[in-house]
Amino acid sequence: MATNPRLMPDEPRMFTAEVVRTARISPSFQRVTIGSAQLAEFDWHGLDHWFRLFFPRSDTALRLPEVRGRLWWKSYLSIPDEHRPHCSNYTVAGYRRFGEDAELDIDVVLHWHQGQLTGVAGWAATAQPASAVAILDQGVLFDPPRDTTDYLLVADESGLPAVRGILRDLPPDAIGTAIIEVPAHGDVRDVQAPAGVTVRWLPREASDQPVGAGALRALNSIEAPSQASYAFVVGESTLATEGRRTLRRAGLPKERITFSGFWRA
Ligand SMILES: Cc1cc2nc3c(=O)[nH]c(=O)nc-3n(C[C@H](O)[C@H](O)[C@H](O)COP(=O)(O)OP(=O)(O)OC[C@H]3O[C@@H](n4cnc5c(N)ncnc54)[C@H](O)[C@@H]3O)c2cc1C
């Protein structure tokens, strides 16, 4: 995953919380809302602010790694298998403070393996209120140069929470295009976006094309970016790497492209 260390907190903080509620918000998304007093200290930057999500794999108590500066992975691996929590990357889909407490929404893509909801999706669909979780703050990836004239945002469903957050927080006079591929028509959502940004939704529906193929086709069909455009391409790893290649071929300098493989098919 391409990350920009400059935008990551030097001393990322771990926040513990509890599941408050979960809800199916569209055919392919489960929203898990977590809350706690600690979360009220979370320094939310909006945009695509992301974090590592930890929760116990079974009925065990939540054991967390020690975080020293940006180091935590070795400590995570040193937790015995049976106590090591699940860990995956997610985006802040919503954040609200209420006095001493705060709530944070996580929009989890429901993905199935052999008919079963697996990984975080399985947890999101069944998580009970008061279940323990923790998040480790990782900052934002979105990093447009100051002289950016227009924006190009490309994502599959895993990047929808990131692109939604970016659209919400772009300057009101921003111009550009967002291409968002989702599994189904029912996953198309209201987004708050500047009037000058065209949002193109690409539901795959029953098609058996690989995730990201529609978004890549759409990217290939739009007008070439200018030398001062900025592109943000995230989602399945082929979408991210091929998207970057397409933009490089079209002449966009590499420092004007943020790309990140959010998952691998
Ligand atoms: C910065 C960042 C932010 C992210 N934000 C979000 C977010 O807000 N919401 C979100 O849903 N995801 C988000 N992701 C992607 C998420 O981290 C991955 O999808 C992750 O693999 C899910 O973990 P898991 O344990 O469910 O699956 P894993 O254990 O990683 O994988 C198990 C199986 O599930 C498959 N799989 C994993 N993800 C998907 C998927 N999305 N669709 C279909 N199959 C899949 C894998 O190919 C594998 O076969 C983000 C990733 C990054 C790097």
Side-chain angles (χ1 to χ4, degrees), residues 3-15:
T3 54
N4 186 341
R6 189 171 64 73
L7 299 179
M8 286 177 73
D10 286 328
E11 304 272 337
R13 208 180 132 183
M14 184 78 85
F15 297 85

Side-chain angles (χ1 to χ4, degrees), residues 25-44:
I25 54 167
S26 79
S28 315
F29 281 90
Q30 187 84 12
R31 174 165 291 170
V32 182
T33 299
I34 62 171
S36 71
Q38 271 194 17
L39 271 184
E41 289 165 33
F42 182 76
D43 184 17
W44 185 44

Side-chain angles (χ1 to χ4, degrees), residues 1 50 86 88-91 107 109 111 120 161 262-264:
M1 178 181 48
W50 67 286
H86 186 101
S88 303
N89 306 321
Y90 280 84
T91 305
D107 288 355
V109 174
H111 57 89
V120 180
F262 273 16
W263 64 284
R264 193 179 288 275

Side-chain angles (χ1 to χ4, degrees), residues 1-2 155-156 158-159 210-213 216 233-245 259-265:
M1 178 181 48
D156 67 10
S158 67
V211 176
L216 278 175
V233 187
V234 299
E236 202 285 319
S237 77
T238 303
L239 169 59
T241 52
E242 280 300 316
R244 176 180 187 271
R245 222 167 271 148
F259 73 108
S260 179
F262 273 16
W263 64 284
R264 193 179 288 275

Side-chain angles (χ1 to χ4, degrees), residues 160-231:
L160 169 56
V163 167
R164 252 181 104 230
I166 292 167
L167 287 171
R168 180 196 56 222
D169 294 336
L170 278 175
D173 59 351
I175 57 170
T177 304
I179 295 169
I180 310 171
E181 186 184 307
V182 286
H185 283 285
D187 295 314
V188 174
R189 274 195 250 155
D190 282 341
V191 286
Q192 198 187 315
V197 179
T198 305
V199 181
R200 283 182 65 183
W201 291 93
L202 302 173
R204 286 191 298 280
E205 282 302 338
S207 110
D208 54 6
Q209 62 179 347
V211 176
L216 278 175
R217 255 199 318 279
L219 177 61
N220 274 295
S221 72
I222 61 172
E223 210 178 296
S226 79
Q227 284 291 308
S229 301
Y230 168 72

